[in-house]
Amino acid sequence: MKLSRNEAIQNLKDDTLWDVAIIGGGATGLGVAVDAASRGYKTILVEKYDFAKGTSSKSTKLVHGGVRYLANGDIKLVLGALHERGLLFKNAPHVSSTQSFVIPSYSFFNKMKFLIGLKLYDWMAGKLRIGKSVLLSKDEVLQKLPKINTTNLQGGVLYFDGQFDDARLAVNLAQTAASYGATIINYAEVNSIHKDLNGKVIGLSFIDRETQTAHRVKAKAVVNATGIFVDDILKLDTATHKNLVRPSQGAHIVVDKKFLGGQDALMIPETSDGRVLFGVPWHEHVLLGTTDTPINEHQIEPRPLEEEIEFILKTANQYLENAPTRADVKSIYAGLRPLAAPKDGDSNSTKEISRDHKLIKSDSNLITITGGKWTTYRKMGEDTVNMVAKVGNLPEVACKTKHLEIHGYTTEKTNTHWQVYGSDAIEIKKLIASDASLGQKIHPGFENVIAEIVWSCQNEMALHVEDFLSRRTRMLLLDAQAAKESAPLVAKVMAQTLGKDQAWIDQELSEFETLVKNYTL
């Protein structure tokens, strides 16, 4: 499915009445769009930045039930997430996969405690279980995690969870929604909510940030799915609105894969301050994180705090032989989780803040969906569209997404970078077959080629250098310096493909160079 922004803009007719207008193109908004469009509802989605620009491209890349939530006794959340994990594996196997995790144990009691908990975790997944948790001897732990600290090591537990590429799935969801007739537009900033004489929402206005053109959208229902920015939209609806969301920052650092030394991931269930830390192989690198730090303000490009970086490195040093130092860090990034704000008590504790999603209908009939996590994006979409149908008085249609194949679907697995494109990989390779120069590598340290730049501009609505280097490919998150070195070539090819001039190239490179500083120590 080709994502064409020009065609999407042309769909904006003044007299069009949409069944649902969705604000926000992250995991939640895109999930709503796929659900609504697949039910046959006339759907439009507008995103202020690029798809998954915020939190949705900056996750720990795990599709999981949440072992830590099980420890907190949140059985309902874990059951639901495990079910959704299984559905995602079936619906989008090209961007998701099973990942084995090892919990090293330094006491017999802990080893048994974790095994019992993970056996329960397996059982809760039911027929959608993806692996079997087992005890490991000390030697077996060392086979799987050759770099683990062996002092007092008693053995460990092996369990299985899911991994995915978040930003690639987001693009595929946009393509899936478009294939069902949805109009999907990035770089479209909502600046007002429209109401009728009774104070009920009847649409919105947005500015096309690429052309500065204003557009008005009439809709039977409007959904606020803007993640950490939900309160900004709610303030457009009600000026006196009090914040629903308290952002929690999750920081990650990315290092060379040699620091784990194998294909298994490391899970540290209880760090020095009681948090969970992962070391996960991802795209030929290792991702270390995440932290969980309450913050008081939200921004689209948060930077990991210095104390978060030190915490991750210090914890890694406790568990890994020859652990990474600051000099080994190839990239850093942070995402902000939109957690429901605590009503009272300790405002700096994130343990008491709900991880489940929350669906709210304002007096104006504006629908807001917040909280949740990537794993449960589909269920969040289903619940939201059920409410949309009632609010918009739409014909009743059953949800279709439980067994809906996501764009790119293929069950074929390859150990190459082409895997995340799924069935589209064939089409990109056809570009190379027609012009061998498109097979040139973008950077010597990565397998990505020029054809991918052309493809992302023509088919995935990539409009800026950052879109390609951060989200269509993941180079910025994997190796910030390599991304910086690749930017001139990417800008040149994008300019040729999109019909841009040298001034555009110069501005893109300047903006990207500034952005890269956020991803480097």
Side-chain angles (χ1 to χ4, degrees), residues 268-314:
I268 303 166
E270 293 172 355
T271 61
S272 57
D273 63 356
R275 289 183 287 191
V276 173
L277 201 73
F278 293 99
V280 186
W282 191 63
H283 290 321
E284 298 300 306
H285 292 71
V286 166
L287 189 155
L288 296 170
T290 177
T291 59
D292 201 3
T293 310
I295 56 172
N296 292 316
E297 56 185 36
H298 57 275
Q299 52 187 312
I300 192 62
E301 274 292 347
R303 178 183 168 87
L305 304 173
E306 188 60 35
E307 57 263 37
E308 293 176 315
I309 295 165
E310 285 300 318
F311 170 77
I312 294 172
L313 288 171
K314 181 181 175 184

Side-chain angles (χ1 to χ4, degrees), residues 26 64 99 134 139-140 191 211-212 228 334 346-347 361 417 471:
H64 62 137
Q99 174 65 55
V134 293
D139 287 344
E140 287 171 328
N191 55 8
T211 63
Q212 301 308 310
I228 56 167
D346 180 6
S347 63
K361 185 181 77 165
H417 85 285
R471 290 173 293 280

Side-chain angles (χ1 to χ4, degrees), residues 182-483:
T183 293
I184 310 286
I185 307 172
N186 57 0
Y187 293 99
E189 181 175 359
V190 170
N191 55 8
S192 64
I193 302 287
H194 301 304
K195 300 178 184 178
D196 63 16
L197 295 175
N198 297 317
K200 302 301 182 186
V201 171
I202 54 171
L204 56 83
S205 287
F206 73 87
I207 300 289
D208 180 342
R209 298 181 71 200
E210 296 297 297
T211 63
Q212 301 308 310
T213 308
H215 296 277
R216 184 173 178 132
V217 172
K218 298 176 189 171
K220 297 175 185 176
V222 175
V223 174
N224 172 16
T226 52
I228 56 167
F229 298 103
V230 291
D231 289 314
D232 297 351
I233 300 299
L234 283 164
K235 283 168 186 170
L236 291 178
D237 177 48
T238 307
T240 56
H241 164 76
K242 290 183 179 178
N243 287 356
L244 280 175
V245 163
R246 175 77 189 277
S248 170
Q249 178 161 301
H252 304 79
I253 67 173
V254 179
V255 296
D256 192 276
K257 63 180 180 181
K258 70 182 181 184
F259 288 104
L260 268 189
Q263 297 302 311
D264 299 272
L266 166 68
M267 196 269 213
I268 303 166
E270 293 172 355
T271 61
S272 57
D273 63 356
R275 289 183 287 191
V276 173
L277 201 73
F278 293 99
V280 186
W282 191 63
H283 290 321
E284 298 300 306
H285 292 71
V286 166
L287 189 155
L288 296 170
T290 177
T291 59
D292 201 3
T293 310
I295 56 172
N296 292 316
E297 56 185 36
H298 57 275
Q299 52 187 312
I300 192 62
E301 274 292 347
R303 178 183 168 87
L305 304 173
E306 188 60 35
E307 57 263 37
E308 293 176 315
I309 295 165
E310 285 300 318
F311 170 77
I312 294 172
L313 288 171
K314 181 181 175 184
T315 304
N317 188 51
Q318 291 170 354
Y319 285 87
L320 297 175
E321 302 283 1
N322 304 313
T325 65
R326 293 178 71 90
D328 298 307
V329 174
K330 292 186 173 293
S331 188
I332 60 173
Y333 71 91
L336 301 184
R337 303 178 185 90
L339 304 183
K343 296 267 191 304
D344 47 34
D346 180 6
S347 63
N348 282 325
S349 170
T350 63
K351 292 177 183 175
E352 303 307 317
I353 304 178
S354 173
R355 255 64 176 180
D356 214 344
H357 63 273
K358 197 171 183 180
L359 195 55
I360 301 156
K361 185 181 77 165
S362 302
D363 291 341
S364 66
N365 281 349
L366 175 66
I367 297 167
T368 296
I369 175 74
T370 187
K373 56 180 183 171
W374 246 120
T375 307
T376 57
Y377 87 89
R378 190 213 62 81
K379 185 65 167 73
M380 293 167 73
E382 178 183 352
D383 291 351
T384 304
V385 177
N386 287 343
M387 184 178 282
V388 163
K390 291 175 184 172
V391 168
N393 197 25
L394 305 178
E396 195 172 313
V397 182
C399 172
K400 313 278 190 191
T401 58
K402 284 181 183 172
H403 307 292
L404 187 79
E405 293 179 0
I406 302 303
H407 179 89
Y409 176 94
T410 177
T411 55
E412 291 181 24
K413 294 284 185 180
T414 76
N415 284 324
T416 71
H417 85 285
W418 294 111
Q419 177 64 48
V420 293
Y421 288 104
S423 58
D424 281 343
I426 298 167
E427 301 303 317
I428 304 172
K429 289 173 183 177
K430 284 180 184 176
L431 292 177
I432 301 170
S434 66
D435 181 353
S437 69
L438 297 180
Q440 177 191 329
K441 277 189 178 185
I442 296 167
H443 188 277
F446 287 80
E447 294 302 312
N448 305 96
V449 296
I450 290 175
E452 294 170 66
I453 308 173
V454 176
W455 175 265
S456 69
C457 292
Q458 293 178 340
N459 297 277
E460 297 181 346
M461 221 180 275
L463 301 183
H464 297 281
V465 168
E466 177 203 338
D467 299 345
F468 180 79
L469 285 172
S470 181
R471 290 173 293 280
R472 304 308 182 275
T473 63
R474 312 313 308 274
M475 201 181 295
L476 179 59
L477 272 66
L478 294 168
D479 189 331
Q481 181 59 33

Side-chain angles (χ1 to χ4, degrees), residues 68-244:
R68 60 185 289 197
Y69 310 139
L70 186 59
N72 294 341
D74 202 337
I75 303 296
K76 177 174 171 284
L77 178 64
V78 176
L79 271 172
L82 285 171
H83 180 72
E84 292 300 321
R85 180 190 71 179
L87 294 181
L88 179 56
F89 271 45
K90 288 178 179 294
N91 296 337
H94 60 295
V95 286
S96 61
S97 59
T98 301
Q99 174 65 55
S100 52
F101 289 78
V102 174
I103 302 178
S105 184
Y106 296 85
S107 83
F108 176 78
F109 173 77
N110 277 347
K111 186 164 65 169
M112 299 314 295
K113 179 179 75 171
F114 297 139
L115 179 67
I116 292 167
L118 288 162
K119 286 291 187 184
L120 176 60
Y121 191 64
D122 292 346
W123 176 78
M124 288 170 71
K127 63 183 180 183
L128 294 174
R129 190 178 76 178
I130 58 175
K132 185 179 178 183
S133 301
V134 293
L135 277 178
L136 298 177
S137 67
K138 178 179 177 179
D139 287 344
E140 287 171 328
V141 171
L142 286 170
Q143 277 181 344
K144 292 183 170 298
L145 296 177
K147 305 295 185 181
I148 199 70
N149 184 350
T150 58
T151 307
N152 298 322
L153 182 66
Q154 301 283 309
V157 181
L158 173 74
Y159 78 99
F160 296 87
D161 234 324
Q163 189 186 55
F164 77 135
D165 188 311
D166 48 12
R168 290 300 315 170
L169 177 57
V171 170
N172 289 157
L173 290 176
Q175 292 168 306
T176 306
S179 73
Y180 283 93
T183 293
I184 310 286
I185 307 172
N186 57 0
Y187 293 99
E189 181 175 359
V190 170
N191 55 8
S192 64
I193 302 287
H194 301 304
K195 300 178 184 178
D196 63 16
L197 295 175
N198 297 317
K200 302 301 182 186
V201 171
I202 54 171
L204 56 83
S205 287
F206 73 87
I207 300 289
D208 180 342
R209 298 181 71 200
E210 296 297 297
T211 63
Q212 301 308 310
T213 308
H215 296 277
R216 184 173 178 132
V217 172
K218 298 176 189 171
K220 297 175 185 176
V222 175
V223 174
N224 172 16
T226 52
I228 56 167
F229 298 103
V230 291
D231 289 314
D232 297 351
I233 300 299
L234 283 164
K235 283 168 186 170
L236 291 178
D237 177 48
T238 307
T240 56
H241 164 76
K242 290 183 179 178
N243 287 356
L244 280 175

Side-chain angles (χ1 to χ4, degrees), residues 20-47:
V20 56
I22 302 156
I23 310 169
T28 308
L30 290 165
V32 174
V34 170
D35 191 295
S38 63
R39 293 196 206 193
Y41 299 147
K42 192 168 183 61
T43 303
I44 183 169
L45 178 147
V46 290
E47 160 59 43

